[in-house]
Amino acid sequence: MDKRKLRSTIEAARASIPGERRHAASVQIRESLLDRPWVQMAGLVACYWSIGTEPATHGLVFALWKHGATVILPVLREDDDLDWAVYDGPDTLAPGRFGLMEPVDTRRGVDAIRTAALVIVPALAVDASTGVRLGRGGGSYDRALARVGPNVPTVALLHEGELLDGVPAEPHDRAVRYAATPDGIVRIAADG
């Protein structure tokens, strides 16, 4: 199956998940992550502000921030690369490109992600053996993940059934090291 068709299939499946079930799954993902020492000890966390049917990150971002982590969220640039700015509470977000909620804080540049101790990214699916993630097709997160150090935990948040035996990959696609699902955190075997 090619990427476009797989995206459509997953987006349709996500849209069919009842809202209450999506919410419960997001809470399970958040609690599993917050229970991990490597999440609790991360001083600087790169995350994202979820939209639509993605596993919700609003509570996760708030919890990380309340527990003392500095959380940076992406700001989508005109070239579709990701700049980063600090989240300083729910009142510090404003709509950006495509209506995405972004921090109003000073932009830290595309390289700010290099200093993160933990990177949490969106994905439609992740290959269980290679860690290659299927995004929405813009390449923004592949560029961002290329800047992340080799020992930094990178985690994609997924709904049930989105950790797959195969995901189409291209040379520019970047792998993640973990997938967080409602059933728990899965360490990807490949060195992503």
Side-chain angles (χ1 to χ4, degrees), residues 2-62:
D2 72 6
K3 284 185 175 184
R4 183 176 291 136
K5 185 169 180 166
L6 185 55
R7 280 187 192 103
S8 294
T9 300
I10 292 169
E11 287 171 347
R14 282 184 170 186
S16 72
I17 302 171
E20 319 80 60
R21 202 164 111 219
R22 263 200 314 268
H23 174 74
S26 296
V27 169
Q28 288 172 295
I29 290 169
R30 179 185 73 217
E31 295 308 312
S32 289
L33 280 168
L34 293 174
D35 199 36
R36 298 291 173 124
W38 47 270
V39 173
Q40 296 167 6
M41 295 184 306
L44 179 64
V45 179
C47 197
Y48 65 99
W49 197 257
S50 59
I51 58 167
T53 58
E54 293 176 332
T57 61
H58 306 178
L60 174 62
V61 168
F62 187 77

